[in-house]
Amino acid sequence: MAQAPKEYSIVGKQTPRIDAYERVTGQAQYTGDLQLPGMLYARVLRSNVPHAKIISIDTSKAEKLPGVKAVIHHENAKVPWSSGGHTHRRYIFNNPVRYVGDPVAAVAATDRHIAEDALKLIDVKYEKIPHVLDANEALKPDAPKIAPNGNLSVGKGAFSAPIEESWGDIEQGFKDADRVFEDTYITKHVNNAQLERRVSIAKWDAGKLTVYASTQGVSNARTDIAKDFALPLSKVRVVCKYMGGGFGNKNQAQDYDYMAAMLAKVAAQPVKLEFTREDDYIGMHGRWASEQHYKVGVKNDGTITAVSLDAVTNMGAYRKQSGNLSGTDFYNIPNFKKVIKPVHTNTVVAANYRAPAYPQSVFGFASFLDQVAFELGVNPLDMFMRNRAQKSKGKLPFTSNYLEQCILEGSKRIGFSEKWHKPGATAGPVKHGIGMALGGYPFRPGLGAATIRVNPDGTAHVLVGVTDIGTGAKSTMAIIASEALGIPLNQIQLTNGDTDVTPYSVGESGSRTTAFTGPAVVAAAEDVRKQIFALASAPMKSKPEELDLRDGQVFRKADSAQRIALGQIVKDSGDLIGRATTNPNFPKEMDGKCFSAHFAEVEVDTWTGHVRITRYVAAHDSGAILNRLTAESQIKGGVVQGIGMAFSEELLIDKVTAIPINPNYRDAKVPTHLETPEVEVIFVEHYDPYGVFGGKVVGEPPITAAVATIANAIFNATGKRFKELPITPDKIVRAVQV
Amino acid sequence: MEDEKKGTRLSRRSFLKGIGGGAIGTAVISTGLVKSDSAEGYSPETSGAGGNRATITLKVNGKAYRVEVEHRSTLAEVLRDELGLTGTKIGCDRGECGACTVIINGHNMYACSQLAVWMQGKDILTVEGLAKGDKLDPLQEAFIEHDGPQCGFCTSGQIMSGKALLMKNPKPDEAQARRGLSGNLCRCGNYNREVAAVLAAAAKSS
Ligand code: FES
Ligand code: FES
């Protein structure tokens, strides 16, 4: 097993966030908290029909309302939104409109209530076009066409369709099997539903556009805006200091950023555009729904010989992201084939939500494996252990893989072997169940940049482009800097999230911040340390390479008693500046992944259909952990989102009107304090040779296995297999009563 | 309804019209202890010029503020936009999430579901009023130690509900703590941490 090369001063400890004080005192300024002089407020009008041509839009009454300063729509603001759709051109306002919620107009006024009033005065005449809501229906030849090329969502490169992948010999794999099973699993559209509603503030100064965004990535937001507004990058500034959650749907720049910018241009005043909670549910994307058809070949002992997956994923009216399903990643599958069709329908757009391609497909595949184990008479623990991934795609080695330890430690902690019983075996109406599933997420390094200034008093200032969507990324970057520099954390200041000030960062999505920007922070620290040692060499009568720096003290490696405080060394040298742009990669023929094994115990009340999670254990291989405190919070939070997806969340769309009927917290039923069990977190901690200080990824993995884990526990309790999410009390009551 | 013809969104005005009428619902999520009672203290005569504005005195964190507000402005809006107290967040603006929780006369309440004009003569405490100078409230300290905020957007609300609970019940058990916070959603799912922080603060104050 790989070991960390040395003892760390701060990496691996429990460290409170560097900005925790601001966050608990109300001083943290989120985008919506900012007020600019002369700022207007804006609201968005959305289509109330699922598919229609706009025949006319009359804004004259709205414009006459005192206080209204700008009204924009598809005729006077034809701005493309490149990252909003990858199969057909998407604009910030589209004609035809393609789903209930497609933006039709936006209004800026001196006050948000006036903007709201003005929306009601806009008269839109639609000519309806037939619509289709169901993904399978949409693929039929006579279905209403949503994209010019039809409803199979065919774009370029990563957005091609169908998504196909295979290895081995699938036919032979099924021939080698003792038994072959087939079944279909269904998941629904759920919303990211982060607590901060979307908001964007835009202002123009002498041709330069500044957007205070609520974005997961200031750099890619700037690139998007510059491209779509045909501005040089130097004329666009994007700032995001504090961010109230995103979970994948605030990547890049979004249509509301563009609307704010256009309104600000027309009104020649700064504009704050705010979404309502309903806007947030229907105007932004959620997780793609899926119908997954599996065929699995197994030996009698449970060993998988072949898996095929045919699926459709419902991407809504525009294709923003892949629509892939990757829940088979955590298993050893010698022969594999998948064909996934991302499909357009006249519904709310689906794209990235925490571990985009995973929890829905882990639900499908891990539920099905659990079922196959049952049919074979194999214990699920044995089934998952036997088939766990040992190589990537059946052949490539992983940079590190401790999935086996996750299964062993997690199952031991919960007492799986002792507590598992025949499905439905508990006597009485309240039935005990226990279940498990495997999950994880890809880990790979990439492009990052960082600047570190060492001030004349020996304190340091780290500049990184990262945002912090709640993961603690700012703190992690400061911890990495502290460790790499040898300067205590409390002497490090960090500036983040401002494209005019901070260097490139990939954006906080795909759990990439630590792996991409982390190496740049380390390299920038090394750069500035070299400068420090060159300066220290004379007073310390040593060669630079004989020196080291720790706890803010420069010392001789050979004799650490010979030391001088860093502040003494650098006091007359102005600022020392370390900088780095790094782009590390794995050796060829190697793959990176973090892994998890989750376990849950439930009590199912078969009279009410109510499920209580009585115990939850999440065991993770995320490599070495840089900050245990925030990392554990990430795991706990991911599980809670999985609980919502398993039990209650689903965006319901009325079949007749195509109107989403529960676009709010109460009716979409996100989990509350009351449903949340204590989530016990185990880190199976091993140093990954390619991670920063041995770390892999943390943010996205925890949601991946949670849904399937709960579903499998419900099966063990009731003996009934639930093949469609969410597993609501009515479904449970109906199933157990037949 | 008129709004439905124009779009699927609901404006604040229609929301407020819905209060009491049940048209849209003023639901307090789950069974949280957050109250959304009464229009007491509201007098229509406060109508100023234009018929829909009033000048009121708001007592917030021990300070009195004289502000002119629209009748339809909520306490949350006035705190944020007029008084610059942006620690109080708005997550839903319809009484579902608790991001806007403040303490009014000792009770935790949703500031998005209270009209500012109803607040005459009431004692309002927001997250900005918890610390005594540089000294944080023990609950704030516990939130730091126990990693209470992930994204932090719900944090002020969680803290204010926690504070209201501790004011009434200085030694809650875990079930009581959860119940006390149950009107406050955390989409980051940091519930374990928030409850742990409340219990830790309770344990410290002996
Ligand atoms: S903003 Fe008041 S309850 Fe959500
Ligand atoms: S910390 Fe993000 S919503 Fe609670």
Side-chain angles (χ1 to χ4, degrees):
Chain A
M1 119 188 34
Q3 284 297 338
K6 63 170 189 175
E7 272 287 295
Y8 294 131
S9 326
I10 182 159
V11 159
K13 309 248 149 60
Q14 302 245 11
T15 312
R17 289 163 200 257
I18 58 169
D19 53 6
Y21 181 91
E22 287 81 352
R23 288 177 195 261
V24 304
T25 52
Q27 290 175 25
Q29 292 263 299
Y30 294 75
T31 306
D33 299 337
L34 304 175
Q35 298 231 31
L36 304 182
M39 187 178 81
L40 304 173
Y41 290 84
R43 286 288 206 244
V44 182
L45 179 72
R46 297 178 181 280
S47 163
N48 59 0
V49 290
H51 204 189
K53 257 193 109 53
I54 298 173
I55 302 301
S56 68
I57 179 160
D58 180 357
T59 59
S60 54
K61 278 197 218 121
E63 278 159 34
K64 275 187 213 113
L65 188 70
V68 170
K69 300 285 180 183
V71 183
I72 56 171
H73 46 80
H74 74 276
E75 283 167 4
N76 65 3
K78 201 171 166 72
V79 184
W81 178 23
S82 305
S83 64
H86 293 278
T87 52
H88 48 292
R89 199 76 166 134
R90 186 175 184 183
Y91 297 89
I92 58 171
F93 303 108
N94 293 283
N95 187 15
V97 291
R98 297 183 175 93
Y99 69 99
V100 172
D102 221 348
V104 171
V107 175
T110 47
D111 168 303
R112 70 165 72 79
H113 300 163
I114 297 174
E116 284 168 357
D117 290 344
L119 293 186
K120 294 188 205 148
L121 300 174
I122 297 174
D123 198 9
V124 187
K125 294 219 168 13
Y126 297 104
E127 182 182 285
K128 289 196 185 172
I129 305 172
H131 66 272
V132 59
L133 304 178
D134 179 84
N136 285 313
E137 292 295 318
L139 283 175
K140 292 185 177 159
D142 53 346
K145 246 199 205 179
I146 298 158
N149 298 329
N151 297 336
L152 177 65
S153 176
V154 182
K156 289 197 191 102
F159 300 99
S160 62
I163 301 163
E164 291 179 312
E165 192 176 19
S166 63
W167 59 79
D169 179 340
I170 191 82
E171 294 313 321
Q172 190 57 44
F174 285 123
K175 274 191 209 134
D176 294 344
D178 293 326
R179 312 260 312 261
V180 174
F181 298 88
E182 281 189 65
D183 216 333
T184 301
Y185 286 78
I186 291 171
T187 69
K188 300 300 180 61
H189 183 109
V190 295
N191 289 80
N192 303 39
Q194 75 304 317
L195 214 62
E196 178 191 41
R197 297 168 302 155
R198 270 130 241 295
V199 57
S200 184
I201 302 172
K203 65 168 183 146
W204 295 83
D205 305 288
K208 177 160 180 171
L209 171 61
T210 300
V211 179
Y212 298 91
S214 165
T215 179
Q216 294 176 222
V218 289
S219 304
N220 54 27
R222 179 177 70 153
T223 313
D224 283 357
I225 293 169
K227 176 176 171 195
D228 289 328
F229 282 81
L231 291 167
L233 287 173
S234 58
K235 291 284 186 199
V236 182
R237 176 184 182 198
V238 179
V239 185
C240 180
K241 295 288 184 186
Y242 284 92
M243 214 276 206
F247 314 115
N249 71 1
K250 288 179 179 169
N251 298 340
Q252 305 192 281
Q254 303 288 347
D255 54 355
Y256 48 90
D257 296 313
Y258 293 13
M259 291 175 200
M262 282 307 287
L263 288 165
K265 192 165 201 173
V266 174
Q269 274 172 274
V271 168
K272 179 193 272 186
L273 187 144
E274 301 167 311
F275 270 20
T276 63
R277 181 49 57 188
E278 293 85 341
D279 283 331
D280 214 290
Y281 264 87
I282 64 176
M284 264 340 278
H285 65 253
R287 185 184 297 287
W288 47 87
S290 66
E291 189 174 310
Q292 312 161 29
H293 184 79
Y294 292 99
K295 187 174 165 189
V296 176
V298 281
K299 293 286 194 192
N300 282 327
D301 65 3
T303 308
I304 295 173
T305 60
V307 173
S308 76
L309 164 61
D310 278 285
V312 291
T313 47
N314 187 343
M315 308 310 289
Y318 303 93
R319 177 101 172 272
K320 279 182 91 179
Q321 243 82 36
S322 76
N324 204 350
L325 297 167
S326 306
T328 48
D329 275 10
F330 313 110
Y331 302 90
N332 208 38
I333 303 174
N335 304 291
F336 179 73
K337 179 167 194 267
K338 77 174 170 189
V339 179
I340 293 164
K341 296 182 181 140
V343 177
H344 289 301
T345 60
N346 294 109
T347 60
V348 172
V349 176
N352 286 352
Y353 173 11
R354 199 173 195 161
Y358 287 93
Q360 65 275 57
S361 55
V362 171
F363 161 73
F365 191 63
S367 294
F368 192 34
L369 272 195
D370 194 65
Q371 181 66 26
V372 169
F374 172 69
E375 311 257 350
L376 293 172
V378 172
N379 183 291
L381 182 58
D382 185 31
M383 185 78 177
F384 285 107
M385 182 60 103
R386 175 183 298 277
N387 291 301
R388 74 183 187 281
Q390 304 192 45
K391 293 259 160 73
S392 176
K393 304 190 191 306
K395 59 174 198 291
L396 295 184
F398 291 110
T399 58
S400 62
N401 175 359
Y402 296 93
L403 180 54
E404 182 181 6
Q405 279 78 350
C406 290
I407 300 173
L408 288 172
E409 288 191 30
S411 61
K412 185 159 161 237
R413 171 83 73 93
I414 203 163
F416 194 93
S417 300
E418 306 83 73
K419 287 178 181 164
W420 186 84
H421 47 71
K422 267 183 55 194
T426 327
V430 177
K431 301 202 176 294
H432 168 270
I434 188 164
M436 67 173 289
L438 309 182
Y441 198 75
F443 153 59
R444 60 183 52 261
L447 188 62
T451 307
I452 298 177
R453 250 167 49 197
V454 172
N455 300 314
D457 64 353
T459 60
H461 188 168
V462 178
L463 295 128
V464 277
V466 305
T467 49
D468 188 338
I469 64 173
T471 56
K474 278 161 70 180
S475 305
T476 307
M477 292 305 119
I479 286 169
I480 292 172
S482 170
E483 189 72 55
L485 285 166
I487 296 177
L489 187 65
N490 63 8
Q491 292 175 28
I492 289 182
Q493 181 199 348
L494 183 129
T495 296
N496 74 307
D498 181 343
T499 58
D500 264 11
V501 178
T502 57
Y504 170 84
S505 175
V506 61
E508 235 198 330
S509 58
S511 296
R512 297 177 296 182
T513 301
T514 302
F516 281 46
T517 304
V521 175
V522 172
E526 278 161 11
D527 185 22
V528 81
R529 276 165 63 98
K530 272 199 207 116
Q531 301 169 42
I532 292 167
F533 297 145
L535 275 176
S537 132
M540 297 202 64
K541 301 189 181 59
S542 312
K543 293 197 190 109
E545 58 274 20
E546 290 166 351
L547 298 173
D548 200 351
L549 166 60
R550 234 178 164 175
D551 297 325
Q553 304 281 321
V554 179
F555 60 93
R556 277 179 61 90
K557 285 181 200 160
D559 174 12
S560 63
Q562 277 192 52
R563 52 177 56 220
I564 303 182
L566 176 61
Q568 273 300 313
I569 306 268
V570 298
K571 67 179 186 334
D572 298 321
S573 46
D575 286 352
L576 297 184
I577 295 180
R579 62 209 154 96
T581 301
T582 48
N583 196 0
N585 209 343
F586 295 150
K588 266 213 177 67
E589 305 300 310
M590 212 171 210
D591 203 358
K593 215 168 237 66
C594 63
F595 295 97
S596 69
H598 283 202
F599 301 84
E601 277 185 88
V602 297
E603 278 173 12
V604 180
D605 184 329
T606 53
W607 288 358
T608 64
H610 183 79
V611 183
R612 201 164 70 87
I613 301 173
T614 52
R615 187 126 190 243
Y616 200 103
V617 173
H620 280 250
D621 163 22
S622 280
I625 299 300
L626 275 59
N627 184 358
R628 297 183 149 271
L629 190 64
T630 53
E632 252 189 55
S633 299
Q634 284 295 297
I635 305 299
K636 288 167 176 283
V639 170
V640 172
Q641 289 183 346
I643 290 172
M645 192 171 156
F647 286 144
S648 52
E649 289 179 49
E650 172 183 5
L651 185 68
L652 295 166
I653 295 189
D654 179 66
K655 290 221 166 59
V656 179
T657 60
I659 293 176
I661 53 179
N662 60 342
N664 57 68
Y665 283 133
R666 192 190 63 152
D667 299 319
K669 298 196 170 63
V670 304
T672 75
H673 275 282
L674 299 179
E675 293 83 57
T676 301
E678 180 69 28
V679 177
E680 299 169 44
V681 181
I682 300 172
F683 286 118
V684 175
E685 242 194 300
H686 291 285
Y687 184 90
D688 184 284
Y690 298 95
V692 182
F693 297 119
K696 296 199 278 188
V697 303
V698 176
E700 279 166 286
I703 194 176
T704 57
V707 188
T709 299
I710 294 162
N712 288 344
I714 294 174
F715 173 75
N716 183 249
T718 61
K720 304 290 173 192
R721 179 66 59 187
F722 295 89
K723 300 177 190 171
E724 182 178 318
L725 293 178
I727 307 171
T728 49
D730 59 306
K731 287 182 190 164
I732 292 175
V733 168
R734 252 179 277 146
V736 295
Q737 284 179 354
V738 280
Chain B
M1 223 197 229
E2 186 194 41
D3 308 318
E4 279 155 15
K5 265 191 279 157
K6 304 290 182 189
T8 56
R9 54 191 318 296
L10 293 165
S11 71
R12 161 176 322 283
R13 182 140 65 181
S14 48
F15 163 51
L16 289 175
K17 272 190 214 147
I19 289 183
I24 299 128
T26 57
V28 173
I29 198 137
S30 64
T31 51
L33 297 176
V34 176
K35 282 192 170 182
S36 77
D37 65 354
S38 91
E40 122 199 39
Y42 169 60
S43 54
E45 313 83 80
T46 49
S47 301
N52 59 3
R53 297 186 78 83
T55 302
I56 55 168
T57 303
L58 280 182
K59 212 170 126 210
V60 186
N61 303 331
K63 257 197 238 160
Y65 298 85
R66 197 87 187 128
V67 274
E68 199 201 79
V69 299
E70 250 192 300
H71 287 171
R72 59 179 167 175
S73 290
T74 64
L75 173 60
E77 287 178 308
V78 172
L79 287 173
R80 292 175 49 77
D81 298 340
E82 308 297 330
L83 309 189
L85 296 171
T86 53
T88 301
K89 304 296 183 215
I90 299 178
C92 66
D93 211 12
R94 48 181 290 157
E96 296 176 342
C97 75
C100 62
T101 305
V102 297
I103 298 179
I104 302 172
N105 285 358
H107 299 292
N108 51 330
M109 288 185 170
Y110 293 156
C112 73
S113 304
Q114 300 291 329
L115 289 178
V117 292
W118 296 345
M119 292 296 115
Q120 280 271 38
K122 308 223 166 156
D123 255 315
I124 300 161
L125 181 64
T126 72
V127 71
E128 289 92 345
L130 285 181
K132 304 265 172 298
D134 279 349
K135 182 92 188 84
L136 291 184
D137 187 276
L139 185 56
Q140 290 172 307
E141 278 170 0
F143 262 72
I144 293 177
E145 268 164 48
H146 291 265
D147 203 33
Q150 282 195 30
C151 78
F153 205 78
C154 71
T155 303
S156 305
Q158 304 277 359
I159 290 177
M160 296 318 284
S161 281
K163 181 74 189 173
L165 172 70
L166 294 175
M167 280 158 54
K168 288 175 209 163
N169 175 5
K171 293 279 172 225
D173 62 21
E174 197 203 312
Q176 289 166 329
R178 276 201 207 188
R179 239 185 150 61
L181 299 181
S182 64
N184 292 78
L185 294 180
C186 176
R187 186 53 168 173
C188 295
N190 218 22
Y191 295 125
N192 286 176
R193 301 297 205 189
E194 291 141 5
V195 169
V198 169
L199 294 176
K204 256 198 220 159
S205 70
S206 40

